[in-house]
Amino acid sequence: MSATRILVIEDEDSLRMALCDALRAQGFELLEAADGEAGLALALAEGPDVVLLDLMLPKRDGFSVLRALREDRLAAAVIILSARGEEWDRVQGFEYGADDYVVKPFSMRELLLRVRAALARAEGNAPGLGALTDPRGKTRFGAVEIDFAAYTLTNGAARHGLSRKELELLRYFLLHEGQTLDRLRLLSDVWGPDENPTTRTIDNHVLKLRKKLERDPEAPRHLVTVHGVGYRFTKSGENA
Ligand code: CA
């Protein structure tokens, strides 16, 4: 099996080099470009498995590169590298075919998780749960312990069972901690096309998760609503 190839399109030299070094150290093969035109040409010529795409780029901006890639039916997973405070429309990004995004400054560990999750999705496997849990398949934060093998969530003294779908949704939120996830993305990534879900299905599952996860389900801190978009999960909790 040939090595997984990652194309980094980023005009900031120090960041591009740091990304390439870190990913190379993980055994990936790297391609790099410092502007949108060169990046697009390289992507189309080489067909990488993953593209890390900055948005503000000389010659051709990231969205234009993304559109062109998808028009050419390039199958690469595209992860957008977005600067903090940079106003961009996440929904539009996903409509254009971005698979994920990270906000700068991000840690290499976070980026690696995203890359591995994108690769796992591309192969039709479940997200990289292994990176999130200890060897016994448990995740803890605050008073909450989730046991993925036992399908249970313990919150203080209360122990709750989790349905398979609740567990999958929770796993997805954990994997994308801190990101605002819109309903359409949750539908496509957590529910399969043959399950006939609606956005209402998601809302119902979120309500059920909140009852088990939150101290006060009416005033959620871990699994918050982002009005008009979807939901965001954090282990530390918001609105404290
Ligand atoms: Ca840039």
Side-chain angles (χ1 to χ4, degrees):
M1 204 181 115
S2 60
T4 301
R5 291 193 306 165
I6 301 178
L7 167 61
V8 179
I9 309 176
E10 165 64 64
D11 60 322
E12 198 185 308
D13 292 339
S14 57
L15 177 57
R16 190 182 64 253
M17 285 189 264
L19 282 169
C20 287
D21 285 349
L23 291 165
R24 223 173 256 128
Q26 296 291 322
F28 296 111
E29 220 168 82
L30 270 295
L31 302 161
E32 53 186 295
D35 68 68
E37 287 288 352
L40 178 59
L42 204 51
L44 296 177
E46 300 287 337
D49 302 285
V50 178
V51 177
L52 303 182
L53 180 61
D54 184 28
L55 287 181
M56 299 286 280
L57 286 167
K59 297 191 183 169
R60 203 187 240 271
D61 71 54
F63 275 132
S64 163
V65 172
L66 180 56
R67 266 201 310 274
L69 289 178
R70 293 317 187 204
E71 275 165 17
D72 240 275
R73 304 196 178 284
L74 190 87
V78 177
I79 300 174
I80 288 177
L81 311 174
S82 124
R84 180 152 65 178
E86 196 168 78
E87 283 303 317
W88 65 284
D89 189 333
R90 291 172 175 79
V91 176
Q92 193 184 36
F94 292 122
E95 277 171 2
Y96 285 166
D99 294 270
D100 207 346
Y101 66 91
V102 289
V103 178
K104 298 175 190 173
F106 47 80
S107 67
M108 286 299 164
R109 185 178 172 278
E110 181 188 10
L111 184 78
L112 269 172
L113 278 176
R114 302 291 172 80
V115 167
R116 294 200 189 287
L119 287 168
R121 281 199 300 274
E123 287 166 11
N125 298 330
L129 176 64
L132 289 170
T133 54
D134 72 22
R136 289 160 297 156
K138 290 177 183 172
T139 290
R140 282 176 208 84
F141 52 93
V144 173
E145 181 181 282
I146 300 158
D147 187 332
F148 287 92
Y151 286 77
T152 57
L153 187 159
T154 310
N155 192 351
R159 190 179 168 88
H160 307 277
L162 293 168
S163 71
R164 175 178 290 274
K165 204 45 92 176
E166 285 168 356
L167 196 79
E168 284 175 12
L169 184 58
L170 197 49
R171 178 182 295 177
Y172 194 81
F173 277 122
L174 279 161
L175 201 59
H176 297 87
E177 192 189 352
Q179 291 184 56
T180 298
L181 301 172
D182 65 88
R183 288 182 177 78
L184 292 180
R185 180 181 181 190
L186 290 169
L187 275 183
S188 73
D189 284 3
V190 182
W191 277 265
D194 51 342
E195 294 179 84
N196 243 337
T198 66
T199 51
R200 184 81 202 172
T201 314
I202 293 178
D203 296 339
N204 287 336
H205 277 78
V206 166
L207 287 180
K208 284 185 203 165
L209 278 182
R210 277 181 180 154
K211 282 183 188 158
K212 299 171 184 179
L213 188 65
E214 302 284 355
R215 187 173 297 175
D216 178 3
E218 302 295 315
R221 291 184 56 222
H222 294 292
L223 191 40
V224 301
T225 300
V226 181
H227 287 288
V229 184
Y231 299 100
R232 182 174 56 240
F233 171 84
T234 55
K235 288 182 187 174
S236 55
E238 300 181 45
N239 310 324

